[in-house]
Amino acid sequence: MAALQQNADHGASSAARKPGVVTGPGGKTILSSLPPLSLYVHVPWCVRKCPYCDFNSHELKGELPERDYLDALQADLEQALPSVWGRQVISIFIGGGTPSLLSSAGLDRMLAMFRACLNVLPDAEVTLEANPGTAEAGRFIDYAASGVNRMSLGIQSFDDRALKALGRIHDRKQAMAAIEMAQRAVPRVNLDLMFALPGQSLDECERDLRLAMGFGTGHLSLYHLTLEPNTVFAKYPPVVPDDDASAAMQEMIAHATAEQGWERYEVSAYARPGQRCRHNVNYWEFGDYLGIGPGAHGKLSFHDRIVRQARLKNPASWMEKAIRRDGSHIAQDRPVQWKELGFEFMLNALRLKEGVERGSFVERTGQSIFAIAPAIERATAKGLLDPDPTRLQATPLGWAFLNDLLSEFLD
């Protein structure tokens, strides 16, 4: 995901001296320190588009245009460099689509490009998403040799009937084999699972979960299937568990993961000690992220503004225009409005179970905490926000009804 702005050297160089904010011309508060920076890279192609997917993914027709894609990716990155010059990159996330369609040589070229152009920390978390249907043991080992140290596998289910209903190209056997391949290749592995699937029972949901926990990986992402607009499932909705059944699944997941020592640290994320996803935590703490590749979104902070940006979604158009190096590959580039910052910050921060320190609101938005004081008072009075004066944190009730809590900050 990405957000860029040109001529940002002043913001990058002047920001790392002292935390907090200072008052600029006309009394406007400005940032005097920049948050951590991550890099998101989008690989848009899939073997087959899943009927529930609303991501920017495109069914591959013919051979993967790997060379053209990497040439365009380099042009995209090089045009973005003035926006992040000198800043350290704490994490890289290669998502899609299906990044595991990339060849070993292609992934190696990509990561070498990042190290050459960016100040990537030696211990940066480098995650690559992979589809079990495209898993190859040798390729996973090569990815690790190139610098990938974390893999995220789109398992979704271990039930062959459910996988077929979801339009996945892998089966239970391939899912289990992919997990073992990933564990041999990298030290950290995440498994993506979905629940409330078409025709799924509570027992079937629990079998999926317990099998996933039994592999010994350090991270689980558990998502409720939703019928998103502009998907096949939205047009031809399958029969899915009702609200009571899906609530029972969520309750079972909460108890079963806690019993096995998993910490639910974010709405959909569960981790063993020391296994939280550093990249995603940076999103939720309102950190910065530069995104490159078709359809990538993101956010960058400067000394006097915070901007959001999006690349063109269509892969062919993005490749054609990125290589021109005239900025035409960027579909959107706008500063976040002053009145939007409070909601945007809380939209992310309140997804974390422990929330964030109140001071981080000032540091990351440049606003006084008084800017959202009325919303804090309303949410606290309703029992949705913890009254702790040092933190911004949902109560258990607020976390269970997060949309209601966030609505307090829309004004």
Side-chain angles (χ1 to χ4, degrees), residues 67-82:
R67 181 174 179 178
D68 289 344
Y69 167 77
L70 291 171
D71 286 347
L73 195 71
Q74 182 162 348
D76 192 347
L77 175 61
E78 289 176 353
Q79 291 170 85
L81 290 180

Side-chain angles (χ1 to χ4, degrees), residues 31 34-35 87 288 299-303 305-307 364:
L31 299 175
L34 299 184
R87 296 181 64 180
D288 280 355
K299 159 189 171 282
L300 285 184
S301 302
F302 302 92
H303 74 290
R305 66 202 183 280
I306 297 173
V307 298
R364 299 292 165 88

Side-chain angles (χ1 to χ4, degrees), residues 24 31 79 163 352 376 404:
L31 299 175
Q79 291 170 85
L163 289 169
L352 291 168
I376 290 175
D404 293 333

